[in-house]
Amino acid sequence: ILVNKYQIKEKLLIIGGQKSEKTTREIKSKIDQHGLKDSVVMLDYVDNDKIGAYYKNAKIFWNNSVFESFGITLLEAMSVGVPVISSWKEAIPEICGDNILYYKIYDNHETIANKIYDYLNNEDLRLIYTNKGIKYTSNKEWTWDYAGYVYSKLFEDVMKK
């Protein structure tokens, strides 16, 4: 829809190994079926020292998750200034709050595509969510130092009992 209806120039980059070869084949088949080879790039695992470059060069980060246990990739994207749009599912609203845009995972494809298109083409809206994301993820609660502190306090309390 985004390519055929709106003729967007941005490419969709899918990073990360799929859960199965069958899933990968299905995704590639859909890409071929809809003539999207020039619009979609699939990469397997990307090392942590290289993933930041992909985030920093993204116009938006789109997370279309049916199940999400924590949402670390959303926080990573927000921390480098990439505005995020995601399905409203599982832990995502709890983790990201009102610092990203949402849609319902069971919305029809046209509705989701329209929301993504609007986000891609509204620089003011992206700037609002870029700033919200950076501010939110710079909070001390999202640092490894703070996590270490919390765990050390927990261990101290457990050892006292």
Side-chain angles (χ1 to χ4, degrees):
I1 295 172
L2 290 169
V3 173
N4 296 329
K5 180 178 178 180
Y6 295 117
Q7 289 84 42
I8 67 162
K9 304 292 184 230
E10 293 84 0
K11 291 184 184 269
L12 172 63
L13 178 61
I14 301 172
I15 297 178
Q18 303 305 313
K19 292 192 181 237
S20 71
E21 287 183 28
K22 180 183 177 210
T23 302
T24 301
R25 280 194 309 274
E26 288 173 358
I27 293 170
K28 287 181 178 180
S29 174
K30 292 286 185 191
I31 292 167
D32 290 343
Q33 178 184 350
H34 294 285
L36 298 172
K37 276 188 176 184
D38 294 335
S39 301
V40 180
V41 177
M42 290 182 69
L43 300 177
D44 281 331
Y45 176 80
V46 175
D47 291 326
N48 285 339
D49 62 335
K50 295 179 181 162
I51 194 73
Y54 288 103
Y55 283 126
K56 289 178 183 175
N57 287 300
K59 192 170 185 179
I60 66 169
F61 181 87
W62 173 33
N63 180 63
N64 190 45
S65 183
V66 175
F67 174 79
E68 192 72 43
S69 60
F70 185 77
I72 191 76
T73 55
L74 285 76
L75 294 171
E76 289 173 338
M78 289 190 308
S79 73
V80 296
V82 180
V84 174
I85 184 168
S86 178
S87 53
W88 177 276
K89 198 70 177 152
E90 305 296 334
I92 297 170
E94 183 180 344
I95 298 300
C96 298
D98 67 351
N99 300 291
I100 69 173
L101 283 182
Y102 294 99
Y103 60 89
K104 294 177 184 154
I105 190 67
Y106 299 110
D107 281 347
N108 66 51
H109 295 124
E110 184 93 22
T111 300
I112 296 169
N114 289 341
K115 288 182 180 186
I116 293 168
Y117 178 78
D118 290 343
Y119 207 20
L120 283 170
N121 289 287
N122 187 332
E123 190 172 338
D124 293 337
L125 186 61
R126 286 195 319 274
L127 184 59
I128 288 167
Y129 282 96
T130 293
N131 292 333
K132 287 177 83 160
I134 290 170
K135 182 178 178 185
Y136 181 67
T137 56
S138 64
N139 182 319
K140 72 173 184 172
E141 293 178 12
W142 297 117
T143 67
W144 287 113
D145 288 340
Y146 185 74
Y149 168 77
V150 169
Y151 276 108
S152 69
K153 288 305 221 180
L154 175 66
F155 293 139
E156 286 175 16
D157 290 347
V158 168
M159 296 305 287
K160 288 179 185 176
K161 294 181 181 185

